[in-house]
Amino acid sequence: MRPNTGFYAREINDLIQNTEQMGDKLHPSYEKIRNAIDHDQMADLDDKTLAEIHELFEKGTAVYRQLGKQIGLLKPPAKVIGNHKRLEKAYLQYVAGCQEMTDSLQPSLDQKAFDLAEQKQDEATDTIYKTIQKITNLLLQ
């Protein structure tokens, strides 16, 4: 049985929308840490605040991990198989970056690990969106 192109496109769209929604929930906490680092105000973030952000990031990373599994379970149309694999790999790298950022918060903030995790997420996100664009263009042909 051939993969359903419409179903595949909707599922990918839903997965990306769910990723963006979770990102919107996590972003204010990320900004709190990023601003504290950038303005040399880490002393303003107490252990309780970091623990709360850590817990929030753990929950978000678990959601991302589940979404990554869903990407892996999708059956892409033949013309996008290579790009689908690239998407799956980039998404897993994104999840790894999220876990690394989460881990960088406990027992106290490891700024170097936080910065490296941020860079890993940025690179993965760039690949994800470029690959989504390629998949979309191929599906529309």
Side-chain angles (χ1 to χ4, degrees):
M1 187 169 139
R2 292 180 48 195
N4 181 316
T5 301
F7 175 79
Y8 175 79
R10 279 189 305 277
E11 287 297 304
I12 290 293
N13 184 58
D14 288 349
L15 290 166
I16 296 306
Q17 283 184 345
N18 289 336
T19 299
E20 289 173 345
Q21 288 172 357
M22 179 52 65
D24 289 345
K25 290 178 185 175
L26 300 176
H27 191 72
S29 295
Y30 159 79
E31 281 296 322
K32 190 178 288 187
I33 295 171
R34 182 81 262 159
N35 286 332
I37 290 170
D38 292 347
H39 297 102
D40 199 25
Q41 298 173 337
M42 284 307 301
D44 294 346
L45 291 179
D46 59 16
D47 290 342
K48 182 181 179 211
T49 301
L50 280 176
E52 289 169 354
I53 293 172
H54 180 266
E55 184 178 336
L56 182 64
F57 281 12
E58 276 289 346
K59 290 177 183 177
T61 301
V63 169
Y64 292 145
R65 195 171 286 114
Q66 185 59 40
L67 292 170
K69 287 179 184 177
Q70 290 176 11
I71 290 171
L73 294 174
L74 286 175
K75 303 289 186 229
K79 61 184 171 182
V80 299
I81 286 176
N83 284 302
H84 180 83
K85 291 295 183 190
R86 188 174 302 116
L87 171 64
E88 184 178 6
K89 180 180 176 185
Y91 200 91
L92 293 176
Q93 289 173 338
Y94 177 75
V95 173
C98 292
Q99 186 62 57
E100 290 166 14
M101 182 174 282
T102 301
D103 293 344
S104 76
L105 301 179
Q106 292 291 317
S108 62
L109 178 68
D110 179 340
Q111 183 177 339
K112 183 176 180 183
F114 185 89
D115 290 343
L116 289 172
E118 180 180 26
Q119 181 180 355
K120 187 174 193 173
Q121 288 177 33
D122 288 347
E123 290 169 1
T125 299
D126 189 47
T127 301
I128 289 167
Y129 284 102
K130 285 179 182 176
T131 305
I132 291 291
Q133 187 62 49
K134 288 178 186 176
I135 289 171
T136 301
N137 289 341
L138 287 168
L139 291 176
L140 293 175
Q141 289 179 353

